[in-house]
Amino acid sequence: MAPPGIAFYYEFASTYSYLAAMRIEAEAARRNVAVQWTPFLLGPIFAAKGWETSPFVTDREKGAYMWRDLERQARQLELPFARPDTFPQNGLLAARIALAVAEDGLIAPFSRAVYRAEFGEGKDIADAGTLGTLLAAVGCTDPDGILARARQAEIKQRLKDNVAEARELGIFGAPSFVVGGRELFWGNDRLEAALDWAVAGG
Amino acid sequence: MAPPGIAFYYEFASTYSYLAAMRIEAEAARRNVAVQWTPFLLGPIFAAKGWETSPFVTDREKGAYMWRDLERQARQLELPFARPDTFPQNGLLAARIALAVAEDGLIAPFSRAVYRAEFGEGKDIADAGTLGTLLAAVGCTDPDGILARARQAEIKQRLKDNVAEARELGIFGAPSFVVGGRELFWGNDRLEAALDWAVAGG
């Protein structure tokens, strides 16, 4: 029988996705749950609600709280934290690259590297040069080839499909976890509950 | 030396405040932390942001998720759950009554009784008759006197003061926990972190 699985929907602009990305494999391995790394974009989902940007920007108090909370949570999880100058960042290219390296087994290490650069070191992850460097750092032997592939129609469509699936699942934020193609859990705080749900049989 | 303390800001319309209200005293007692029960209203805070109602209403997907998550969380905490017909409910009178019974040491049991009626039994907690019955059930010997007192200017002003303090603290949602008059934690999921912060010295 296949091990239980979980779909991990993450957006590279999302702060709490950083925390989840850094811990999901260890928590999943502990429970023998397989993780489907599923990058998507919140932009189109927010736009469909008539929003122009993140609630962390439009709601000033919520945004200020989020950065303080993220700092506290990162410290507790012993993760590096540095607030980037720009928020939210454009994660489009990073998401396409993540999909382009999935076949090579690099989607998880690349995604973690992007998050660490963004929220651990405060770097600009919209930049192709930075992303190429991160690709090489996680063992990609042809970063330029991957960058080219990330811009092809097939990969673009795959990301669009992920966004469409997220919308059909009722996903409204990131990170989100989906068990059995149906049961939705939202937020880094629900990672354990989602994994336990998968273990219990979805 | 006085034991460490925490201010518990809750709004009677708030679903996750229900979960926090039912657990805070046990979690606080375990850590020898004193709880300042601080009812407030989110309505004026939302209105100041230009919102007419709860994000759980305006964001349909987030609202649907919240009810499912609340049901799961209540089950895990072994709390009763019944979705009320109306959401959000008008918690104004309940908040005033809570303040009016504070001197009698009944603010915590009365608040828990309101939440249990609202989200454990699906009752209408805007109704004065229901609130009077809850007052009697938690040992109030003069529910009518308390109802009259709850409508006096002094109590109304006390609630306004709580709302003003919440705004000054940057509170944007409920439940919220404040340690040392400064450090803010938002959401039932942060109850333990807030209490631990109080224990560590604020």
Side-chain angles (χ1 to χ4, degrees):
Chain A
M1 214 173 82
I6 190 171
F8 169 37
Y9 282 83
Y10 59 103
E11 141 79 76
F12 280 111
S14 153
T15 49
Y16 289 105
S17 293
Y18 163 48
L19 306 184
M22 303 314 266
R23 35 197 226 101
I24 192 168
E25 288 294 352
E27 292 294 335
R30 194 172 298 166
R31 296 165 175 87
N32 194 32
V33 172
V35 179
Q36 178 72 37
W37 287 67
T38 312
F40 78 117
L41 303 173
L42 275 173
I45 290 175
F46 286 172
K49 299 181 195 291
W51 304 354
E52 286 176 18
T53 183
S54 161
F56 292 133
V57 175
T58 48
D59 185 340
R60 181 196 297 261
E61 289 78 17
K62 194 175 196 170
Y65 171 79
M66 180 275 284
W67 289 111
R68 176 61 176 154
D69 187 57
L70 192 72
E71 184 185 359
R72 287 186 312 226
Q73 293 274 301
R75 192 183 308 151
Q76 194 172 342
L77 296 169
E78 299 184 353
L79 292 171
F81 170 71
R83 180 172 172 173
D85 292 333
T86 305
F87 179 84
Q89 292 199 38
N90 187 336
L92 177 64
L93 183 57
R96 287 176 177 165
I97 292 173
L99 291 171
V101 292
E103 286 161 21
D104 305 325
L106 291 178
I107 190 168
F110 172 73
S111 298
R112 284 191 296 263
V114 172
Y115 280 122
R116 186 178 291 268
E118 185 179 20
F119 297 117
E121 301 165 18
K123 285 189 182 156
D124 175 8
I125 59 101
D127 180 66
T130 301
L131 295 171
T133 304
L134 294 175
L135 276 171
V138 297
C140 173
T141 51
D142 182 15
D144 289 341
I146 289 293
L147 279 165
R149 182 160 150 63
R151 293 179 169 121
Q152 286 171 1
E154 181 205 343
I155 294 293
K156 291 181 178 178
Q157 187 57 49
R158 214 177 288 176
L159 183 57
K160 282 183 188 167
D161 291 346
N162 283 1
V163 175
E165 281 166 23
R167 287 190 66 170
E168 278 162 31
L169 288 162
I171 288 176
F172 55 90
S176 287
F177 313 99
V178 179
V179 180
R182 186 180 68 248
E183 192 75 15
L184 177 62
F185 296 82
W186 170 54
N188 176 55
D189 293 321
R190 287 289 175 280
L191 172 59
E192 286 82 355
L195 291 167
D196 291 344
W197 196 275
V199 169
Chain B
M1 213 174 85
I6 190 172
F8 169 37
Y9 282 84
Y10 58 102
E11 140 79 77
F12 280 112
S14 152
T15 49
Y16 289 106
S17 293
Y18 164 48
L19 306 185
M22 303 315 264
R23 354 191 267 106
I24 192 168
E25 288 293 354
E27 292 295 335
R30 194 172 300 165
R31 295 165 176 87
N32 194 30
V33 173
V35 179
Q36 179 72 35
W37 288 68
T38 312
F40 79 118
L41 302 174
L42 275 173
I45 290 175
F46 287 171
K49 298 180 196 291
W51 304 354
E52 287 175 15
T53 184
S54 161
F56 292 133
V57 175
T58 47
D59 185 341
R60 182 195 297 260
E61 288 77 18
K62 193 174 196 171
Y65 171 79
M66 179 275 284
W67 289 110
R68 176 61 176 154
D69 187 57
L70 192 72
E71 183 184 359
R72 287 187 311 227
Q73 293 274 301
R75 192 184 307 150
Q76 194 173 339
L77 296 169
E78 299 183 352
L79 292 171
F81 170 71
R83 182 173 171 171
D85 291 333
T86 304
F87 178 85
Q89 292 199 39
N90 186 338
L92 177 64
L93 182 57
R96 287 176 177 166
I97 292 173
L99 290 170
V101 292
E103 286 161 23
D104 305 325
L106 291 178
I107 190 168
F110 172 73
S111 298
R112 283 191 296 263
V114 172
Y115 279 122
R116 185 178 292 268
E118 184 178 22
F119 298 117
E121 302 166 16
K123 284 189 182 157
D124 174 8
I125 59 102
D127 179 67
T130 300
L131 294 170
T133 304
L134 295 175
L135 276 171
V138 296
C140 173
T141 51
D142 182 16
D144 289 341
I146 289 292
L147 279 165
R149 182 160 149 64
R151 292 180 170 117
Q152 285 171 1
E154 181 206 341
I155 293 293
K156 290 181 179 178
Q157 187 58 48
R158 213 177 290 177
L159 183 56
K160 281 183 191 168
D161 292 346
N162 283 1
V163 175
E165 282 166 22
R167 287 190 66 172
E168 278 162 32
L169 289 161
I171 288 177
F172 55 90
S176 287
F177 313 99
V178 179
V179 180
R182 185 180 67 246
E183 192 74 16
L184 177 62
F185 296 83
W186 170 54
N188 176 55
D189 293 323
R190 287 290 176 279
L191 171 58
E192 286 82 355
L195 291 167
D196 290 344
W197 196 275
V199 170

